[in-house]
Amino acid sequence: MSDSLSVEELSQFRSWLASMPDDDLERILAKEWQDGSFNLSQKDKERLSQLKERIMDQCSPKRRIQGIVATFFKIAALIAIPVLCYTTWHWRSYSKQLADQSIVFSTQKGERSTISLPDGTLVILNELSSLSYSPGIFNSKSRQLDFEGEAFFQVAKDSLRPFTVKSAGLRVTVLGTQFNLMDRVSENAELFLKDGKVMVFSILSSQSAELSKGDRAILSRNDGQLTILRSTNAEQESLAWLDHNIVLKKASFVEVLDRITKHYGVTFEANWEPAEDDTFTGTLPSDDLEGALSILEIVYHIRASISGRTVRISK
Amino acid sequence: MHGKVDIERMLISQLKQGSERAFSDLYNIYAHQLLAFCKRYVKDSEKAEEIVQDVFIALWRNREKISQDTSIKGLLFVSARRLLINAWRKMVNSPIYEEFLAFKEKDTAPDAGASIEFDEFLQIVNSEIDKLNKTQRNAIIYTRFKGLSIRETASLMGLSEQTIKNQVTLGLKQLRQALGINYILFFMFFMNWPR
């Protein structure tokens, strides 16, 4: 629908629209949706990420649980009041710490952030990752973080207060060191130790291992088994993302496309695929879609053309 | 179509298991298409974003019921169509949209107006309306934006019909001066809108 109607045309358009049943309009819209190509202004694109945050807020499971069990907590609170009154005195100093809300850092798609923690530890957070800690507890006896995603940690030395990172599958305890940790729900978790010593504990299998410099621990998402690898190019592979690269190891063509889709938010249309065992190992730039595609063009002898958010692949 | 379909199948199966990451990926793939599509009909960005928001929240809430073989693009349309058609009808029939077209039609000065978007137009008018006094502002919002009659507005605001008429006239006059464009709000004053 165009904005260049005259006022007179608008009144005709109004009567036309009023005469159209919803079902007919649906048919017109459906065709438009299937056939059309869509472009957004830069301003609207920027608003999309704010909109996403609002949507994710509403979809967060924590809030839903609050709704379901709110009634239970109301009743529980009534019962708990006398008990609380009695114990408040004894707990006062401790609850002060608990009252501190935890501090959360998180990154969106394509975003990276460097965080400096109160103890001097430096964390480089890769995209789609989050890290949180309670400031009241963090500095006193131990240093504890909750973590998801991928990050490189440069932990400040402090032999009296162990530094612990807890992710979905792993608990990593260190005294002072540098390591890269990746724990994303869809993949196996991975820890690469650049320097120093760490203890790794698999939450699923209760297996633990001590790593030393250069080691890489891989946690199987299925059974919680830890595998320790010592390979010469581990550092290069594990830390390539720090140099703005997407790292792929023996990835099938579909996996390669999947990583690019996740990273750049583009859709692929391909009428061709290579043999199953034709895998890709290497890095692709994470801030240059055309550059990444041109590498694929050379490796697979294909042509990739970008139109909007769609990439067409042909032989 | 191998690549796209397989990735989508994978995302659907993860979404069904409650993966926020898969949901976020699907948003990244389809939200811009859906927003652009909605904006073709509903020119007001806020309204268009509301639809996108409702559709994606519905996708998340109903994730377990999604069939593995469904097309997300089709699903989003089914979920959006009623909302979009309703919002479209509303916008086409709104006084302010008519005002916008009148403004574009009459304003032939080369420097301003010709390329203005409905969004910007709304913003300008709204910011000027905010500067009016409360009575004038409400009288104009009820009669010119919400499509209430003078009588309905009078009873809602607890004032006489004549007072409402006067307040609307004064308010529009001030708006005309503030906006500095001769024809703007001319139609607002004389036309009767449906509803």
Side-chain angles (χ1 to χ4, degrees):
Chain A
M1 204 181 85
S2 129
D3 278 340
S4 54
L5 293 173
S6 70
V7 174
E8 207 178 307
E9 285 163 341
L10 175 67
S11 87
Q12 288 165 11
F13 185 66
R14 278 176 175 170
S15 3
W16 174 81
L17 192 62
S19 73
M20 290 293 280
D22 280 0
D23 289 352
D24 290 350
L25 293 179
E26 267 174 28
R27 244 164 268 145
I28 297 171
L29 262 56
K31 190 165 171 8
E32 178 103 16
W33 175 241
Q34 282 308 329
D35 301 347
S37 66
F38 305 101
N39 290 311
L40 270 187
S41 68
Q42 197 54 41
K43 214 167 76 192
D44 280 329
K45 278 183 193 161
E46 283 158 21
R47 289 171 61 142
L48 266 182
S49 61
Q50 294 167 14
L51 181 62
K52 183 176 177 182
E53 273 174 41
R54 291 208 298 275
I55 292 173
M56 295 306 266
D57 270 358
Q58 292 203 33
C59 293
S60 150
K62 283 170 210 146
R63 294 192 183 200
R64 279 188 301 118
I65 289 164
Q66 271 174 14
I68 297 160
V69 295
T71 323
F72 169 77
F73 275 121
K74 274 180 200 159
I75 297 164
L78 279 174
I79 299 166
I81 286 169
V83 183
L84 271 176
C85 287
Y86 178 72
T87 49
T88 299
W89 179 252
H90 304 279
W91 281 68
R92 207 175 59 165
S93 64
Y94 189 57
S95 61
K96 229 177 210 169
Q97 294 169 357
L98 285 180
D100 282 329
Q101 285 191 321
S102 67
I103 293 181
V104 182
F105 297 96
S106 65
T107 49
Q108 300 281 315
K109 188 174 290 290
E111 218 177 49
R112 174 169 313 170
S113 147
T114 304
I115 299 152
S116 156
L117 297 174
D119 65 332
T121 293
L122 214 65
V123 185
I124 306 172
L125 212 53
N126 200 356
E127 61 168 349
L128 298 170
S129 302
S130 77
L131 179 155
S132 66
Y133 67 93
S134 308
I137 294 169
F138 185 80
N139 252 340
S140 52
K141 283 180 198 141
S142 66
R143 301 173 284 170
Q144 284 186 28
L145 296 177
D146 283 325
F147 174 72
E148 189 199 338
E150 178 162 32
F152 182 74
F153 294 82
Q154 193 177 317
V155 180
K157 275 210 167 69
D158 186 341
S159 54
L160 295 175
R161 295 178 304 162
F163 186 97
T164 306
V165 183
K166 199 175 150 293
S167 66
L170 289 173
R171 198 165 66 221
V172 183
T173 306
V174 305
L175 294 173
T177 178
Q178 295 182 38
F179 62 92
N180 190 75
L181 175 61
M182 185 187 81
D183 194 343
R184 300 190 187 278
V185 181
S186 54
E187 299 159 66
N188 291 339
E190 221 183 286
L191 181 125
F192 168 71
L193 183 60
K194 186 160 188 277
D195 200 10
K197 265 195 180 358
V198 305
M199 281 293 292
V200 192
F201 176 81
S202 163
I203 291 163
L204 193 61
S205 68
S206 298
Q207 192 186 353
S208 65
E210 190 175 299
L211 301 194
S212 42
K213 185 177 173 177
D215 285 354
R216 181 153 61 153
I218 295 168
L219 172 85
S220 159
R221 186 65 66 199
N222 296 330
D223 54 9
Q225 284 301 309
L226 283 170
T227 312
I228 314 297
L229 297 174
R230 293 181 177 86
S231 75
T232 43
N233 55 356
E235 169 161 356
Q236 193 199 341
E237 285 174 12
S238 294
L239 303 182
W241 68 269
L242 289 170
D243 302 323
H244 298 272
N245 284 323
I246 297 171
V247 191
L248 294 150
K249 282 158 241 166
K250 290 190 181 166
S252 71
F253 187 61
V254 172
E255 282 165 349
V256 174
L257 296 191
D258 177 39
R259 284 292 293 275
I260 296 176
T261 297
K262 277 187 183 160
H263 192 85
Y264 288 103
V266 292
T267 315
F268 280 96
E269 283 178 15
N271 54 13
W272 166 88
E273 62 180 296
E276 190 81 333
D277 54 359
D278 194 354
T279 61
F280 180 85
T281 299
T283 60
L284 297 172
S286 67
D287 50 3
D288 174 13
L289 177 59
E290 282 173 35
L293 292 175
S294 68
I295 291 173
L296 293 190
E297 289 186 325
I298 295 164
V299 171
Y300 291 103
H301 304 291
I302 51 174
R303 282 173 51 92
S305 56
I306 309 172
S307 65
R309 293 274 188 131
T310 306
V311 179
R312 285 201 180 77
I313 288 188
S314 51
K315 189 69 185 173
Chain B
M1 292 293 288
H2 183 92
K4 180 178 173 177
V5 170
D6 256 2
I7 290 166
E8 179 151 322
R9 282 183 63 87
M10 185 197 73
L11 290 176
I12 291 173
S13 100
Q14 291 172 355
L15 178 69
K16 284 167 74 69
Q17 291 160 30
S19 158
E20 284 189 28
R21 171 130 356 97
F23 179 66
S24 150
D25 286 344
L26 287 169
Y27 180 91
N28 291 344
I29 295 169
Y30 289 111
H32 75 281
Q33 292 183 40
L34 186 61
L35 182 62
F37 179 64
C38 291
K39 279 203 71 178
R40 265 188 204 179
Y41 298 93
V42 184
K43 308 289 179 181
D44 179 349
S45 286
E46 263 180 46
K47 289 271 153 42
E49 281 174 21
E50 265 174 37
I51 296 175
V52 174
Q53 178 168 348
D54 288 353
V55 166
F56 273 94
I57 287 173
L59 178 70
W60 176 256
R61 301 229 159 111
N62 297 311
R63 61 188 180 277
E64 282 157 12
K65 288 178 240 155
I66 296 170
S67 132
Q68 177 64 54
D69 300 316
T70 197
S71 129
I72 293 290
K73 186 167 173 170
L75 198 66
L76 292 176
F77 177 76
V78 169
S79 169
R81 61 191 177 189
R82 291 283 159 170
L83 296 170
L84 181 56
I85 287 171
N86 290 343
W88 185 27
R89 287 189 192 278
K90 225 177 200 165
M91 192 218 54
V92 168
N93 288 320
S94 71
I96 190 73
Y97 186 63
E98 178 163 11
E99 198 62 44
F100 167 65
L101 294 181
F103 168 70
K104 284 184 76 107
E105 193 179 1
K106 299 281 181 184
D107 188 78
T108 47
D111 53 333
S115 64
I116 192 171
E117 301 271 340
F118 185 53
D119 257 356
E120 298 166 60
F121 180 77
L122 269 182
Q123 265 176 23
I124 296 168
V125 172
N126 279 331
S127 78
E128 288 305 329
I129 285 178
D130 279 346
K131 293 180 193 157
L132 298 176
N133 75 41
K134 201 179 158 200
T135 316
Q136 289 175 5
R137 186 167 65 230
N138 285 340
I140 286 177
I141 288 173
Y142 287 136
T143 56
R144 305 302 162 193
F145 284 76
K146 306 212 161 161
L148 298 186
S149 69
I150 296 282
R151 178 178 299 175
E152 286 164 333
T153 307
S155 74
L156 202 67
M157 293 178 63
L159 297 168
S160 77
E161 289 180 33
Q162 190 55 47
T163 310
I164 297 295
K165 280 184 198 162
N166 295 343
Q167 290 299 314
V168 169
T169 312
L170 285 172
L172 290 179
K173 192 174 164 195
Q174 196 179 324
L175 280 181
R176 262 196 294 272
Q177 279 166 357
L179 293 165
I181 301 156
N182 287 339
Y183 293 97
I184 196 167
L185 304 170
F186 182 82
F187 283 88
M188 259 193 187
F189 196 40
F190 287 101
M191 308 266 316
N192 262 329
W193 349 106
R195 242 173 346 129

